[in-house]
């Protein structure tokens, strides 16, 4: 396959490198990734600044394109200009899980979503660890999984969000197809004083309040590889159908 | 009502000021908005930098809080720390429509989504114009609409994305409840040379390919005020249900 590889931790991130090394054994792999870390950027795009492309080498050889933009910018620029059509877009391996509400903030997931918007099948992959991360099993799993992904009962283009536990691979309980948890995060704003006695805040999330085992949050915690098919239609259809039944006459009074 | 007002064009934007002037006649209005423009930031949050809060005055009086963060940061910080619980969060009035695929990139919409995540009803409001924008009708419409919004057949907290045509108000055809268009945008990457003959790209969108009149994109163009109830669950349930029927034995071979 012709694969576009990106991520939100930047072109020099370990997770991207580990996945590249494994994928390149079987596939034609192109790297287009942000120059530096772009985590928690959500589905941002760069429209007020020019985008620059820098060719990055490894030894004597071309390795990939570094962009001064977001993960979504990278996918757009790759598919429209730098690489052209591919068979699959993979975003990752991200350091840190992308589950629950965090999907909305995730640069990793937004790259996969952007690929689907443009008509390409895509996978976002994250590993549930921040320190001393071993990407080896996750990279091997993805390189095996993508050989089966197109045989799954999915409409094309698909967009899958995959999270991999960071535990001894022999202890992984299996693959679980689960929904995104929409339970609240317990968040904190830590109020501090700087050296000039001025207030600043650090924002962070403490923990998920989710309890349902059939969600990405809980299944991952229980030791499963979680796979969630995702979409980008934000319409709340159940509400929309109710709203459509409102009498037009009532609404007319609201306008002029 | 106690209303939190934010936007993505910054605390000094005309759209925010116009809406404030109208809302403050009937309500207790609090402003927490980005210090400067934060358009197309998607649902970004600031986790790698401290957030600073600056009190902004108008004449002798306190006017609102300016934050060195994204619209989603503003909503979080307002509801957790600066203001506390409110009855309604309004994000806008944004200069430029937020319809179709652009919902994913929109800072305006992300602020409303963030409010709903935190358990508050919210409205994102945008006007379909970029130049010589007259916010008067849109501000009046919103201040009327919110008196009816809680009587609509919506589960609480609701999250509505509203777009208002920038035409003579008497020519507005009415309110239309519509889905988000998910049709592709025609996008361009304009390749240019800088003064040192180095390549750079400007990214932009040309037009929507949507044809369905029952979408935000088309209804707005036809002269309707469009209202789309939105949600933040990205799960593709129709795919998920098919994936759940896959035999576990097949999946086991993929792990170890």
């Amino acid at each position: 396959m012709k694969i576009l590889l990106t991520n939100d931790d930047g072109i020099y991130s370990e997770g991207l490198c580990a996945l590249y090394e494994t994928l390149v054994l079987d596939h034609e792999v192109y790297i287009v990734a942000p120059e530096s870390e772009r985590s928690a950027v959500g589905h941002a795009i760069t429209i007020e600044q020019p985008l620059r492309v820098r060719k990055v080498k490894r030894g004597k050889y071309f390795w990939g394109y570094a962009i001064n933009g977001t993960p979504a910018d990278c996918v757009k620029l790759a598919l429209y200009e730098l690489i052209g059509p591919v068979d699959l877009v993979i975003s990752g391996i991200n350091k840190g899980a992308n589950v629950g509400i965090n999907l909305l903030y995730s640069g990793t997931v937004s790259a996969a979503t952007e690929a689907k918007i443009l008509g390409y099948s895509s996978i976002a992959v994250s590993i549930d660890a921040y320190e001393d991360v071993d990407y080896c099993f996750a990279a091997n799993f993805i390189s095996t999984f993508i050989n089966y992904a197109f045989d799954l009962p999915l409409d094309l283009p698909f967009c899958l969000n995959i999270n991999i536990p960071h535990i001894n691979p022999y202890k992984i309980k299996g693959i679980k197809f689960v929904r995104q948890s929409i339970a609240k995060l317990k968040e904190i704003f830590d109020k501090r004083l700087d050296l000039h006695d001025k207030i600043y805040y650090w924002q962070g999330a403490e923990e998920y309040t989710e309890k349902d085992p059939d969600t990405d949050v809980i299944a991952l915690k229980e030791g499963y590889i979680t796979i969630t098919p995702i979409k980008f239609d934000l319409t709340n259809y159940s509400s929309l159908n109710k709203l459509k039944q409102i009498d037009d006459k009532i609404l007319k009074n609201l306008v002029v």
Side-chain angles (χ1 to χ4, degrees), chain A residues 126-182:
Chain A
S126 310
I127 192 160
D128 189 19
Y130 284 101
E131 281 175 34
D132 298 328
V133 183
D134 183 341
Y135 293 97
C136 189
F137 169 76
N140 284 0
F141 170 75
I142 293 298
S143 70
T144 309
F145 177 78
I146 61 174
N147 297 321
Y148 295 87
F150 287 88
D151 299 327
L152 294 172
L154 291 166
D155 296 327
L156 297 182
F158 62 71
C159 181
L160 299 175
N161 182 42
I162 302 184
N163 283 276
I164 298 174
H166 192 247
I167 55 178
N168 180 330
Y170 290 97
K171 293 193 172 159
I172 288 177
K173 287 186 183 163
I175 294 169
K176 204 163 175 179
F177 297 109
V178 283
R179 68 176 176 89
Q180 175 201 0
S181 160
I182 54 166

Side-chain angles (χ1 to χ4, degrees), chain A residues 184-230:
Chain A
K184 264 195 193 175
L185 274 168
K186 275 189 195 154
E187 289 173 306
I188 42 162
F189 279 89
D190 199 27
K191 192 174 178 173
R192 300 181 180 188
L193 288 179
D194 68 16
L195 298 182
H196 308 285
D197 282 340
K198 285 194 170 173
I199 293 165
Y200 66 96
Y201 294 88
W202 280 110
Q203 120 168 242
E206 280 192 312
E207 54 176 323
Y208 293 94
T209 58
E210 185 60 74
K211 304 283 177 213
D212 180 357
D214 206 25
T215 58
D216 51 3
V217 167
I218 300 298
L220 180 67
K221 200 186 281 179
E222 286 177 347
Y224 289 93
I225 294 169
T226 65
I227 302 183
T228 304
I230 59 178

